[in-house]
Amino acid sequence: MEKNLQSRIGYFFIGILIVTLLGFNKTYFVKFPTFEGFTSAHHFHGTIALLWLLMLIVQPFLIRAKKYEVHRMVGRVSYFLMPLLLASFFFVSRAGYYRNVNTIGEVEALAKLTDGIPDILFMAILYSLAIIYRKKTPLHMRYFIGTGLMVMGPGLGRYAFITFGPQIAIPILITLSLLLPFIWMIVDLIKKRSYIPMAVYLAIAVSSVLIKQNGHTEWWQTFAKWLASNLF
């Protein structure tokens, strides 16, 4: 079961890449070549996120081809790529804040920081656990899958809302971001494999949803204002 999963998970990441590209097609790529409304921070984030997904795609196929040394070399690249990805979340959040504060006001600009800033912590947690358990392949693989699911979220959201509208998009997002990982966790539990990686991802996904719903609360506004004042 685990070996079959390892050999096929690359196709799952290819699916994530396709969904991501489709999601950003009508909001980003169609603006080529001027990319009006986007900054260098957005281009940097898009480039690093794309490289991350490509790395996730390549790694399982290297294992399948028994190119273990190359797999380890590509894995070491993640030591540099992940900090860049985390930094890109920060840069995009900062760019969004400065744009929003001049158009919709400070309160709304601070509230919108719930979409981006928490992802820095969440992605760092999943990646750190993947590296900590790099010698325990089932755990290592599942934590990396979690990073792929996080990268998929924005693209999937854009694609679903543009293509189907909110009434259909919301159930799709819930199913793919929460229900499928929950089912995976239950299957792992039943088969006496470690359910912890999927439980960690689900905790992060639920926390992300809850934080987004609290953008106008006093605690978030206070934290976000301190962040913007001191780090932006």
Side-chain angles (χ1 to χ4, degrees):
M1 175 66 180
E2 286 297 318
K3 289 185 177 180
N4 288 335
L5 181 61
Q6 290 174 38
S7 64
R8 295 173 183 174
I9 199 64
Y11 297 109
F12 172 73
F13 288 131
I14 290 174
I16 289 180
L17 176 61
I18 292 172
V19 169
T20 300
L21 293 176
L22 288 173
F24 282 97
N25 179 53
K26 293 184 178 180
T27 60
Y28 180 74
F29 295 114
V30 294
K31 296 183 180 294
F32 177 86
T34 61
F35 291 105
E36 182 181 354
F38 291 95
T39 67
S40 58
H42 295 96
H43 303 321
F44 177 70
H45 175 67
T47 301
I48 299 302
L50 176 60
L51 290 174
W52 185 259
L53 282 177
L54 292 175
M55 186 195 73
L56 293 180
I57 290 170
V58 167
Q59 288 292 67
F61 290 110
L62 289 174
I63 292 178
R64 187 174 183 176
K66 298 183 179 180
K67 303 290 185 180
Y68 302 118
E69 185 58 36
V70 180
H71 173 82
R72 284 190 286 270
M73 289 175 60
V74 174
R76 294 187 190 104
V77 173
S78 74
Y79 297 160
F80 302 95
L81 200 56
M82 177 51 71
L84 293 177
L85 182 60
L86 298 180
S88 75
F89 281 116
F90 176 82
F91 294 145
V92 167
S93 296
R94 184 176 64 179
Y97 170 78
Y98 283 125
R99 179 192 61 208
N100 292 330
V101 78
N102 292 319
T103 55
I104 58 178
E106 184 181 38
V107 171
E108 293 300 322
L110 294 173
K112 285 185 175 295
L113 288 177
T114 57
D115 188 11
I117 291 298
D119 292 339
I120 298 173
L121 174 62
F122 296 151
M123 185 69 80
I125 290 172
L126 289 170
Y127 176 72
S128 297
L129 289 171
I131 296 304
I132 290 171
Y133 292 105
R134 62 187 179 277
K135 294 185 179 181
K136 295 183 178 181
T137 301
L139 301 179
H140 176 73
M141 176 179 60
R142 283 165 173 77
Y143 285 123
F144 264 116
I145 289 171
T147 69
L149 290 172
M150 284 198 64
V151 172
M152 177 186 71
L156 174 63
R158 284 169 173 79
Y159 177 74
F161 274 90
I162 291 172
T163 306
F164 305 109
Q167 290 184 335
I168 298 177
I170 292 175
I172 290 175
L173 290 172
I174 292 174
T175 299
L176 292 179
S177 63
L178 295 177
L179 183 58
L180 289 183
F182 177 76
I183 293 173
W184 191 338
M185 181 184 71
I186 297 301
V187 171
D188 279 345
L189 188 61
I190 291 173
K191 292 185 177 295
K192 297 182 179 181
R193 293 192 291 265
S194 179
Y195 63 90
I196 294 177
M198 285 298 110
V200 170
Y201 170 78
L202 284 169
I204 284 174
V206 171
S207 297
S208 180
V209 172
L210 293 176
I211 290 174
K212 285 180 173 63
Q213 293 176 347
N214 282 272
H216 295 91
T217 59
E218 182 179 355
W219 72 268
W220 176 263
Q221 288 282 316
T222 300
F223 166 72
K225 189 167 185 177
W226 174 87
L227 184 75
S229 299
N230 293 277
L231 299 181
F232 285 1

